[in-house]
Amino acid sequence: AQTVTQSQPEMSVQEAETVTLSCTYDTSESDYYLFWYKQPPSRQMILVIRQEAYKQQNATENRFSVNFQKAAKSFSLKISDSQLGDAAMYFCAYRSGSWTSGTYKYIFGTGTRLKVLA
Amino acid sequence: DTGVSQDPRHKITKRGQNVTFRCDPISEHNRLYWYRQTLGQGPEFLTYFQNEAQLEKSRLLSDRFSAERPKGSFSTLEIQRTEQGDSAMYLCASSLDEGTGGRGTEAFFGQGTRLTVV
C-alpha cells in the first residue's frame, strides 16, 4: 500500500524568506501524481501545485516550486518570498495514475503547519 | 462554477442519533470522495464514487457509515448511532477523469461539515 510521510509537524519562516517542506512517499507504481495542498485555518483545502511522475521537470507555480526526486521517492515544496498569507497547514498527497492499480483515492500525509513571522 | 458545496457546515448531535451530510460536487466531475479529518491530522480516506458506483470503501469505515451517490450527482454520507469518536470534520471532494497530459487529476474540496457528538 502507498504511504505518504511528512516528518516536519511545524515549520517557521520569516516573511520574504524561503522555506522548504519535506515529503516522502512509498509506492511500487511508476505512474502516479503528487500534490501539495494548503489548508488555511478554518478554510477549505486548495491545491498549491501538482507533479506528474512521468515528468522529469519539476513543477513551478509562481513562488511555489517542487523538488521531485523519483528514485528517492521525495517530493519537497519550496516557498520563496514567503508572505503572511502563506501561513497554513500544508499536506502532501499521492494518487495512483494507473487504472490497473484499482484505485484513484488520494492519500495524504499528516501535514506541516507553516508559520510566517513578520 | 460554484465549487464543491457541503451541507450543513456544522452539526451537533447527541450520541446515538443518526446524521446525514450532503455533498454537491462540481457539476462535470465524475469522481466524488469522502474524507474525515480530525484536528491537526491529514484527511483520512473513507470512500469514493465514480459516477454512481461506489468503487472503494476504507476498511476503517464501520458498518454504521453508509454513502450513496444516486444518479451520479450529489452524494450523502450517513452515520448511524453516532459515537463521540465520530466527532470530526467530514470533507467531500470531487475530480474529473484526467484527459491528456494529466489535466484534471487534482481533487477539489468543499469546506467540510464539522460534526460534534455530545
Side-chain angles (χ1 to χ4, degrees), chain A:
Chain A
Q2 295 83 15
T3 59
V4 176
T5 301
Q6 293 180 251
S7 58
Q8 304 157 316
E10 191 171 292
M11 293 283 284
S12 296
V13 63
Q14 286 291 141
E15 199 174 4
E17 296 295 308
T18 296
V19 64
T20 299
L21 309 184
S22 301
C23 173
T24 59
Y25 58 96
D26 190 25
T27 184
S28 59
E29 299 177 330
S30 59
D31 182 14
Y32 52 87
Y33 301 92
L34 296 165
F35 308 86
W36 279 98
Y37 279 88
K38 171 185 178 181
Q39 189 177 41
S42 301
R43 296 183 63 183
Q44 71 195 97
M45 196 155 347
I46 57 173
L47 179 72
V48 174
I49 198 164
R50 173 186 65 209
Q51 175 78 43
E52 293 87 344
Y54 64 84
K55 290 186 177 179
Q56 291 186 333
Q57 186 173 7
N58 289 325
T60 61
E61 288 287 343
N62 301 313
R63 298 183 296 107
F64 299 88
S65 62
V66 298
N67 183 3
F68 173 48
Q69 301 290 326
K70 191 172 184 179
K73 296 178 183 175
S74 171
F75 182 60
S76 61
L77 174 69
K78 185 171 82 170
I79 306 173
S80 304
D81 186 25
S82 297
Q83 301 175 0
L84 295 177
D86 295 333
M89 284 289 287
Y90 285 82
F91 293 100
C92 179
Y94 170 103
R95 206 215 77 179
S96 173
S98 170
W99 65 271
T100 58
S101 74
T103 181
Y104 286 119
K105 69 184 177 188
Y106 297 79
I107 301 167
F108 288 83
T110 52
T112 296
R113 180 174 303 281
L114 178 66
K115 295 184 176 180
V116 181
L117 308 174

